Amino acid sequence: HLDQLLHPQFADEDAYKPAVLGEGLPASPGAAVGQAVFSAEDAEEWVTAGLKVVLVRKETSPEDVKGMFRSEGVLCQLGGMTSHAAVVARGWGKPCITGVPDLQVDEEAKVARINGQEIREGDFISLNGSTGEIIRGKQPLAPPKLAGDLGEFMAWVDKRRRLRVLTNADTPADASEARKFGAEGIGLCRTEHMF
């Protein structure tokens, strides 16, 4: 899946396997690492204080979008591939796992239970949105890159192409990331996401 290559991944997926707590639906690709928070408001506060967070919810709603946007990733007990969390996270390029049958989220107590283990507010967790794995602790990340056979193939294509490559970018951060991957300009910009 080409989309997975454009998101941060874990440096070594085999190394974290003993720390996997459970699995859900891989609703949006990429890797996320942060401290667990259980409300959108807490996500905003913690990020403003300089911390990286993963938003853990029973399910998300439109009231959660500010906290979702500020989070590194989103983990939801309920939902599917077309749920609110999945669609919004994919649109922003944020890792997301939904529909986790073994996860019970208690938002009031700020704790989640999965397969006999607890995730409390402030605990570091890692999400593999490409596989649906929920991992205990702070796992090392690797930045996205086009390498190996795909990198070589794209270099060949770049030499022969006659079309310009433009990107859809809704925020300055999207535009900057697209430029790193070789985009030559903006093709579509939906300004409603800037406000």
Side-chain angles (χ1 to χ4, degrees), residues 31-195:
V33 176
Q35 292 177 273
V37 294
F38 291 84
S39 74
E41 295 79 15
D42 287 342
E44 290 185 82
E45 287 177 23
W46 288 44
V47 172
T48 298
L51 302 171
K52 293 188 178 200
V53 302
V54 171
L55 181 60
V56 181
R57 302 285 290 158
K58 189 168 276 197
E59 61 186 335
T60 64
S61 68
E63 289 80 28
D64 294 318
V65 294
K66 287 183 180 179
M68 292 173 68
F69 184 75
R70 304 282 308 269
S71 299
E72 299 297 307
V74 180
L75 171 61
C76 288
Q77 173 183 334
L78 304 175
M81 300 299 279
T82 58
S83 66
H84 178 266
V87 172
V88 172
R90 267 196 308 275
W92 285 335
K94 292 199 180 280
C96 179
I97 299 172
T98 59
V100 185
D102 298 321
L103 181 68
Q104 292 84 40
V105 176
D106 184 339
E107 294 165 350
E108 296 272 326
K110 299 183 178 186
V111 65
R113 293 173 183 83
I114 183 166
N115 295 321
Q117 299 197 49
E118 288 188 345
I119 301 168
R120 297 198 163 276
E121 182 179 58
D123 288 350
F124 275 98
I125 60 171
S126 301
L127 304 180
N128 188 333
S130 302
T131 65
E133 294 167 309
I134 304 152
I135 308 124
R136 178 169 298 290
K138 192 175 180 181
Q139 304 300 323
L141 296 174
K145 63 181 177 184
L146 293 178
D149 291 340
L150 179 61
E152 184 177 1
F153 175 73
M154 294 307 293
W156 295 342
V157 169
D158 242 4
K159 290 178 187 173
R160 307 274 306 164
R161 71 180 169 92
R162 294 185 301 226
L163 296 173
R164 292 180 58 214
V165 177
L166 304 178
T167 186
N168 293 355
D170 298 340
T171 66
D174 290 344
S176 177
E177 191 67 20
R179 295 287 293 177
K180 289 179 193 172
F181 282 107
E184 299 172 29
I186 308 297
L188 173 65
C189 179
R190 297 181 301 180
T191 57
E192 70 269 18
H193 291 158
M194 293 182 177
F195 305 103

